[in-house]
């Protein structure tokens, strides 16, 4: 799966891709589960399978997430070190603000 | 001119509107001139008059900037206090990252 190099990650593109409730919820969820391997099935709360494939591809192509193919599953993680080095403080401020999103609050209530 | 209230400012919308090179350059320029009244003519470097009107309206409608009509001119400023209270740290991290954009570097070289 193609991932952009560090110097190919653009601020405008990262912001544009994060400017979407579903993708913000995915990033917020990944941030809550950092260090764990999150498989794409765990995002089913956030949308249909087709929609999620689209959103996960957008996140990967913008350099926000890393996707690893593991058998029939895909393991997703945040590219935190890369984003922190390119745009210091950006990811943390977005993750903090994203915790208030209804989709993430609903998920926490169910847990 | 209509401006959203503080609680109408949405994270996804702010990020989506800032996910554009021209609008990032405008915000970076406003940040460099904070406390000064910046009239819309000062953005002419960043695009045509029609394009700029469009971009400035998007920024105002998302709650990122405040536009004041002064005679035949428009004075633009960042809604820094509002954005800082809604999304702590977000604006600063974006402004820092935006300083590297070619449009802003060009402007500084000419100054």
């Amino acid at each position: 799966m193609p991932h952009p190099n560090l110097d190919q990650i653009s601020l405008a593109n990262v912001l544009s891709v994060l400017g979407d409730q579903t993708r913000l919820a995915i990033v917020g969820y990944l941030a809550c589960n950092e260090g764990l391997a999150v498989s794409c099935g765990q995002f089913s709360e956030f949308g249909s399978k087709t929609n999620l494939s689209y959103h996960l591809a957008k996140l990967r192509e913008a350099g926000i997430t890393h996707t690893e193919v593991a058998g029939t599953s895909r393991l997703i993680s945040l590219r935190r070190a890369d984003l922190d080095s390119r745009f210091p403080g950006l990811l943390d401020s977005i993750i903090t603000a994203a915790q208030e999103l209804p989709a993430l609050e609903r998920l926490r209530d169910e847990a």
Side-chain angles (χ1 to χ4, degrees), chain A residues 19-73:
Chain A
D20 174 276
Q21 304 277 3
T22 305
R23 293 194 285 267
L24 278 175
I26 292 172
V27 166
Y29 185 84
L30 287 172
C32 294
N33 293 278
E34 248 182 305
L36 300 175
V38 175
S39 75
C40 48
Q42 288 174 259
F43 301 119
S44 58
E45 176 80 11
F46 301 144
S48 71
K49 213 165 174 176
T50 315
N51 270 336
L52 281 174
S53 291
Y54 167 77
H55 288 308
L56 290 171
K58 294 283 271 184
L59 288 167
R60 174 176 51 78
E61 287 159 6
I64 300 163
T65 55
H66 186 266
T67 302
E68 197 184 330
V69 179
T72 58
S73 189

Side-chain angles (χ1 to χ4, degrees), chain A residues 6 9 34 63-64 78-93 95:
Chain A
L6 193 53
I9 300 178
E34 248 182 305
I64 300 163
L78 276 180
R79 289 179 65 176
R80 172 177 278 279
D82 289 342
L83 291 167
D84 284 352
S85 85
R86 286 281 281 138
F87 315 121
L90 180 67
L91 192 62
D92 276 325
S93 64
I95 288 168

